[in-house]
Amino acid sequence: MIKAIVSGVGFGLVLTFITGPVFFALIKTSIEKGFHAGVSLALGVVCSDVVFVGAILFGSQYIDVSDHTKVIAGVVGAAILFALGLYYMFKKSEINYENKVPSGADRFGYVLKGFLMCIFNPTLLFHWTVVIGAASTTFIVGTPHRSLHIAIMFLTILIIQFGMDTLKAFYANKLRDKISVKFIHRLNEVAGIALIIASLVLIDKLVTHFVFSAPAGS
């Protein structure tokens, strides 16, 4: 039990500090819209992680997805990431200095944004595949209560990730009074560029292969 918790804490800390488009989006949202909006975005990220884990652990047992389908899904995901990147780059900047609590509809919108930003990012699927592989190696078949240990490990990872994202939102929110709208505009541009780069890297991995070679077996 302790081993599962320690492993979960370790992987949770590693995953939460992997800098990417979601990191910039979380910081930007927390500064621009306030702490509550940042936490809502983080909740959407955690929901997407739950879907990833469930799909890998259970979906692969019942659904055989062809390589062609994976490429199509990846291209669609890249297009969505690219569109989000353009949106951030040209989005009008504003700061919620009063830190108003978002309405129910707005809160749901932030949750949905965090969910979609991650669910269409196959890089995160790769990260979770690696973690699940490590869990299977740590708790090999035949280990007493193996399923329970793996479940505790993943639950710990999700709790750590959400807790760390909440801390990011909290401290980013504290900086809001010291930050100008111009800085937020620059942060929007950085977040947009990060999303666009992620989409182009994904397209190159799946289709063009100018920099990255084709995945094995494709």
Side-chain angles (χ1 to χ4, degrees):
M1 192 73 69
I2 298 299
K3 184 178 182 180
I5 294 175
V6 171
S7 298
V9 170
F11 278 111
L13 291 174
V14 170
L15 289 175
T16 197
F17 283 111
I18 294 178
T19 302
V22 177
F23 173 84
F24 289 110
L26 177 63
I27 299 300
K28 182 198 76 67
T29 300
S30 301
I31 294 175
E32 188 175 14
K33 299 298 182 180
F35 171 73
H36 299 282
V39 171
S40 297
L41 187 78
L43 182 60
V45 173
V46 170
C47 289
S48 71
D49 289 335
V50 172
V51 172
F52 275 136
V53 173
I56 296 172
L57 287 178
F58 305 109
S60 59
Q61 300 178 22
Y62 307 104
I63 303 174
D64 183 18
V65 181
S66 67
D67 290 336
H68 179 67
T69 301
K70 291 178 182 177
V71 170
I72 293 176
V75 170
V76 171
I80 292 174
L81 290 178
F82 188 85
L84 282 173
L86 290 178
Y87 170 75
Y88 274 138
M89 287 189 69
F90 297 103
K91 179 178 178 290
K92 181 181 178 181
S93 301
E94 57 183 24
I95 299 178
N96 174 17
Y97 286 108
E98 297 179 4
N99 194 24
K100 295 180 180 178
V101 178
S103 64
D106 288 339
R107 192 185 296 271
F108 176 77
Y110 292 122
V111 172
L112 184 61
K113 182 185 293 187
F115 180 83
L116 294 178
M117 190 179 297
C118 291
I119 206 69
F120 288 111
N121 187 354
T123 301
L124 297 180
L125 179 61
F126 169 75
H127 291 157
W128 279 112
T129 302
V130 171
V131 173
I132 289 174
S136 300
T137 302
T138 303
F139 303 104
I140 61 175
V141 177
T143 301
H145 307 294
R146 178 174 183 263
S147 296
L148 177 62
H149 283 88
I150 291 178
I152 290 174
M153 176 179 169
F154 279 101
L155 180 61
T156 303
I157 292 174
L158 294 174
I159 291 173
I160 291 295
Q161 281 195 280
F162 182 69
M164 294 302 296
D165 283 346
T166 299
L167 281 177
K168 293 174 190 175
F170 176 79
Y171 284 109
N173 174 67
K174 290 295 184 183
L175 296 174
R176 191 174 63 258
D177 292 336
K178 303 176 182 178
I179 290 177
S180 65
V181 173
K182 183 178 180 181
F183 178 83
I184 288 296
H185 178 68
R186 294 287 177 253
L187 195 58
N188 277 339
E189 291 179 334
V190 171
I193 290 171
L195 285 168
I196 290 173
I197 290 175
S199 69
L200 295 178
V201 168
L202 179 57
I203 286 293
D204 190 57
K205 285 182 177 180
L206 294 174
V207 182
T208 57
H209 312 305
F210 289 126
V211 177
F212 299 96
S213 59
S218 59

